[in-house]
Amino acid sequence: MQLPRKHYLSILTILIFAWGCTGQPSTSELPAPTNPILPTAASPVPGESPTATFPVQTDTAQPTADPPTPTPDVLVEEVTFSTQDGIPIAATLFGDGDLPVLLLHMGKGLATNNTQVDWHPFARRLASDGYPGLTVDFRGRGESGGEFENDPVILDARAALDFLQQRGYDRYVCIGAGLGGTTCMVLAQTEPPAGLIVLSSTLSAGPTNTIEEADLARLSMPKLIAYGEKDGFGFPEAMEDIYRRAAEPKQLVTCDSAGHGSVLLYGSCGEELYQQILSLIQDID
């Protein structure tokens, strides 16, 4: 039986009135979403090569375990120096010895504030084993001046090397993570280190902060290449390619970890990786 039109209008009026009195249902009364879509910290650009840029870090860029045991007896000196283009760079020199290690940190990330502090526990431990470590804040990071950009950090690395030479060192080892690893490889073309250690990097960090495959193959110093097998953004593939194209002598260390760059030193394979790095430096020395 069909109700008269006026009955429909009456029912509609009652429903509207009831809604206005009771208000909208609370969130506790609403059903929970079954498959929420959460924002991600960063997503690779479709079709873009992993060597094109350094993406922001995810929460895997946080230390996953206690850092190496600190050694309070190590000498620590905070220093500053200027780059060729006049940028003041903050750095810290840990310990003393005959073969210094230049430590270059990762690029700017979302979930971690990458600075020289990332390297401090490692540098302190390395100094306790007889090898001074120089940690550096890239421009626009930490206590250094200027604006952060991937390309000109090579000038920061060269300024750090000049500082070591002024202190009387004629050899050095370069260890870099992420952006720092690329910068170490680029620096090695013109100022060859006694040893080169690269953690979770690519061949290119920008238009000029780049090393060509042919130039990588000409780097004859001992090399250690390390990465986390569960790292994202194509870094495992990029690091395998770097290792394959690098000249001998070289060694590869892979970690069953999603850690990226210097974070690997504080994760499950941190002790193994430290010993491998220390062994390479001792062989050079």
Side-chain angles (χ1 to χ4, degrees):
M1 184 178 83
Q2 187 173 6
L3 293 174
R5 179 180 179 85
K6 63 179 182 179
H7 287 187
Y8 285 116
L9 294 176
S10 299
I11 293 171
L12 179 60
T13 301
I14 292 170
L15 290 175
I16 293 173
F17 177 77
W19 180 269
C21 291
T22 59
Q24 296 183 4
S26 67
T27 54
S28 62
E29 297 169 342
L30 294 174
T34 57
N35 186 24
I37 300 175
L38 300 177
T40 57
S43 299
V45 178
E48 184 174 85
S49 167
T51 64
T53 186
F54 283 87
V56 294
Q57 304 302 315
T58 66
D59 58 0
T60 58
Q62 303 297 332
T64 56
D66 292 334
T69 304
T71 48
D73 56 329
V74 168
L75 296 174
V76 179
E77 180 185 0
E78 294 183 353
V79 299
T80 57
F81 41 81
S82 294
T83 64
Q84 182 182 358
D85 57 345
I87 302 298
I89 299 298
T92 307
L93 182 61
F94 290 82
D96 55 13
D98 296 329
L99 182 58
V101 180
L102 176 60
L103 297 159
L104 302 181
H105 65 73
M106 295 186 284
K108 186 176 182 179
L110 178 66
T112 180
N113 186 29
N114 296 314
T115 67
Q116 62 166 311
V117 175
D118 297 347
W119 285 113
H120 283 185
F122 177 84
R124 185 180 290 274
R125 185 178 181 186
L126 201 59
S128 72
D129 283 324
Y131 298 98
L134 181 65
T135 63
V136 178
D137 277 333
F138 283 142
R139 61 183 63 205
R141 308 298 291 150
E143 300 301 317
S144 291
E147 296 293 327
F148 178 82
E149 295 181 73
N150 281 359
D151 271 346
V153 298
I154 185 62
L155 300 179
D156 308 345
R158 289 194 174 110
L161 186 55
D162 289 343
F163 167 80
L164 289 175
Q165 291 171 343
Q166 291 167 10
R167 288 295 179 97
Y169 294 110
D170 57 3
R171 296 190 306 155
Y172 79 106
V173 172
C174 196
I175 304 181
L179 169 63
T182 305
T183 306
C184 272
M185 289 187 284
V186 174
L187 184 66
Q189 296 176 95
T190 53
E191 292 89 8
L196 176 63
I197 297 163
V198 179
L199 312 179
S200 309
S201 298
T202 65
L203 292 176
S204 177
T208 60
N209 195 0
T210 295
I211 179 170
E212 300 295 334
E213 295 171 355
D215 294 326
L216 173 66
R218 284 192 281 266
L219 300 181
S220 60
M221 70 287 298
K223 290 169 287 295
L224 186 149
I225 309 298
Y227 67 90
E229 294 174 347
K230 299 175 183 176
D231 195 357
F233 299 105
F235 281 102
E237 294 80 6
M239 291 296 287
E240 284 286 344
D241 188 57
I242 288 173
Y243 176 74
R244 183 170 57 253
R245 297 178 186 280
E248 296 285 355
K250 60 184 177 182
Q251 64 183 109
L252 179 67
V253 178
T254 61
C255 299
D256 183 16
S257 166
H260 182 79
S262 52
V263 178
L264 294 170
L265 293 162
Y266 310 125
S268 58
C269 72
E271 183 62 28
E272 175 191 355
L273 182 55
Y274 178 82
Q275 294 300 331
Q276 294 276 8
I277 292 173
L278 180 62
S279 177
L280 182 145
I281 296 173
Q282 289 173 334
D283 289 345
I284 293 170
D285 196 22

